[in-house]
Amino acid sequence: KKGRLLTMDRLETLQRHLVGVDVSAERCSAVSSSAQSSEETRRTIAAERQKSAEANILSNDLSIALYGSQEKTNYRREAFKLIERDSELVTSTGQFYDETRTESRKRVMKMIRRWHSLKYTIQDLKLRTAVYDALCVYDRAFAMRIYVHDMLFRETIWAQGTPDQFRKWQPLCDDMQVIGCFAMTELGHSSQLRGLETTATYDRTTQEFVINSPTLTASKWWIGMAGQTATHTVAICQLVIDEKPLGLFWYIVPLRCTQTGRLLPGVSAGDIGPKAGRNGLDNGWIQFSHVRVPRENMLMRWSQVSPSGDFNPPISEALSYA
């Protein structure tokens, strides 16, 4: 009971601080003046400070609890020190919120370029890991860009592609000769996969897939790095052969020239605009207008389409979603 009353006291103290009055009628009747209310607030704050002092919780102990060991704590501190002293990693304005959207995106891409250099020059694996983790904590837009490229684009090629396909694309991804994104969500269906409309129609005469957004609602939507950055995407599309829909599968589709960054023919893409946070990440939309990709760009680990158009289905449709 005592603990519950203390909790209520704390809540009512916060309420008085936020709105200037006690919202509890019962408590209001017990407080005779604003001076008494202010004094009670001071006593509560003083009591909380005293409890914190008595607990004697040391910041280093908390760090060890968070990071797992003293060694990991030391590496994390060294990593943050490295970031603080590197002009290409730390924000020059002092606060991310002082940046425009354009400034934020330029800075984050500069961070990625710098990290790409550091991961080859830092020989200590534990320090390299600590720097990466610290950068992800320091800037969530950086973390999400790396995640989209490495974990969504690259790992989808690994999970859905054949070993030969992954061997081809892995070095391009690791060296960032291509920058990838993950085109699943659509404007009309969110991530409700069975409703996705984008099609990949096989053309036997050229041994190509024709990627197409047949409606406005088929637009790939809220795709990280699609707005300005990604040169390629893995797109989940409805496979069509001889006008027959055969299910959802993944395709590697070029979006932009790797040299100039300009959109390729048949690809329309743009930025979705301001967001409440992570403005260093260019979430965008994509529409395909009969974009042709070679047959080998279908990720064929679980199902295959032969040059002649013969379809070998997966043992389970769920494999496309794995």
Side-chain angles (χ1 to χ4, degrees):
K1 183 177 180 181
K2 183 179 179 181
R4 185 174 66 83
L5 290 174
L6 179 59
T7 300
M8 292 302 297
D9 286 341
R10 291 175 179 173
L11 288 174
E12 289 169 10
T13 298
L14 286 172
Q15 288 170 330
R16 283 194 298 274
H17 174 71
L18 293 172
V19 302
V21 296
D22 189 343
V23 297
S24 169
E26 293 181 3
R27 298 290 290 185
C28 280
S29 63
V31 179
S32 60
S33 68
S34 60
Q36 287 176 309
S37 177
S38 298
E39 180 60 30
E40 184 179 350
T41 300
R42 284 193 292 270
R43 288 199 303 269
T44 301
I45 293 173
E48 291 296 326
R49 288 175 176 169
Q50 181 63 30
K51 289 176 184 176
S52 298
E54 291 173 355
N56 195 29
I57 298 175
L58 301 177
S59 61
N60 190 65
D61 294 338
L62 284 175
S63 297
I64 292 173
L66 286 171
Y67 302 138
S69 70
Q70 184 67 63
E71 181 188 41
K72 291 180 180 179
T73 298
N74 293 340
Y75 271 117
R76 183 63 71 96
R77 287 172 177 163
E78 187 176 350
F80 276 117
K81 187 181 295 184
L82 185 151
I83 294 171
E84 184 181 11
R85 296 176 178 179
D86 192 316
S87 61
E88 292 189 85
L89 295 178
V90 70
T91 174
S92 60
T93 61
Q95 291 290 340
F96 301 140
Y97 301 106
D98 294 332
E99 298 174 329
T100 66
R101 197 157 36 123
T102 299
E103 290 171 343
S104 181
R105 291 178 180 179
K106 286 182 177 179
R107 178 185 54 76
V108 174
M109 288 304 295
K110 185 169 68 174
M111 286 177 67
I112 291 175
R113 182 180 63 187
R114 178 61 173 149
W115 162 244
H116 184 68
S117 172
L118 286 174
K119 71 180 182 180
Y120 292 110
T121 57
I122 299 176
Q123 299 301 313
D124 188 331
L125 177 59
K126 292 180 180 179
L127 178 59
R128 187 161 68 240
T129 301
V131 171
Y132 172 76
D133 291 342
L135 284 168
C136 289
V137 171
Y138 177 65
D139 192 321
R140 301 304 297 171
F142 168 90
M144 187 55 67
R145 279 183 180 267
I146 293 292
Y147 178 81
V148 168
H149 177 75
D150 283 346
M151 301 305 297
L152 295 182
F153 179 74
R154 181 183 182 275
E155 292 302 293
T156 296
I157 298 174
W158 173 80
Q160 298 290 332
T162 66
D164 286 342
Q165 287 177 313
F166 188 62
R167 276 192 291 270
K168 173 184 176 180
W169 289 94
Q170 179 185 8
L172 301 176
C173 295
D174 291 348
D175 292 339
M176 300 198 79
Q177 296 180 48
V178 300
I179 300 175
C181 65
F182 182 84
M184 180 178 71
T185 305
E186 290 185 2
L187 180 61
H189 307 281
S190 185
S191 298
Q192 194 269 315
L193 299 184
R194 292 184 182 274
L196 299 185
E197 300 178 71
T198 304
T199 57
T201 303
Y202 187 63
D203 183 346
R204 288 186 181 86
T205 59
T206 61
Q207 297 184 21
E208 294 174 316
F209 290 101
V210 182
I211 312 298
N212 190 51
S213 306
T215 65
L216 177 63
T217 53
S219 304
K220 299 296 184 180
W221 183 257
W222 206 271
I223 310 302
M225 295 210 293
Q228 297 174 310
T229 309
T231 64
H232 290 69
T233 190
V234 283
I236 188 167
C237 309
Q238 181 74 242
L239 171 62
V240 178
I241 299 178
D242 296 330
E243 300 183 357
K244 180 181 178 181
L246 296 170
L248 295 169
F249 301 97
W250 293 92
Y251 305 83
I252 300 173
V253 186
L255 301 176
R256 293 178 173 88
C257 173
T258 57
Q259 301 300 315
T260 66
R262 294 175 180 170
L263 290 169
L264 297 174
V267 178
S268 299
D271 196 89
I272 63 169
K275 309 188 297 288
R278 297 186 185 179
N279 282 311
L281 173 67
D282 53 320
N283 290 90
W285 55 269
I286 309 170
Q287 292 177 339
F288 303 107
S289 298
H290 305 287
V291 176
R292 289 181 172 267
V293 300
R295 184 183 66 88
E296 293 77 13
N297 279 31
M298 176 184 179
L299 297 179
M300 297 192 189
R301 181 172 186 173
W302 307 112
S303 57
Q304 300 81 36
V305 174
S306 72
S308 61
D310 295 325
F311 174 59
N312 181 29
I315 58 175
S316 170
E317 291 183 358
L319 288 170
S320 290
Y321 317 144

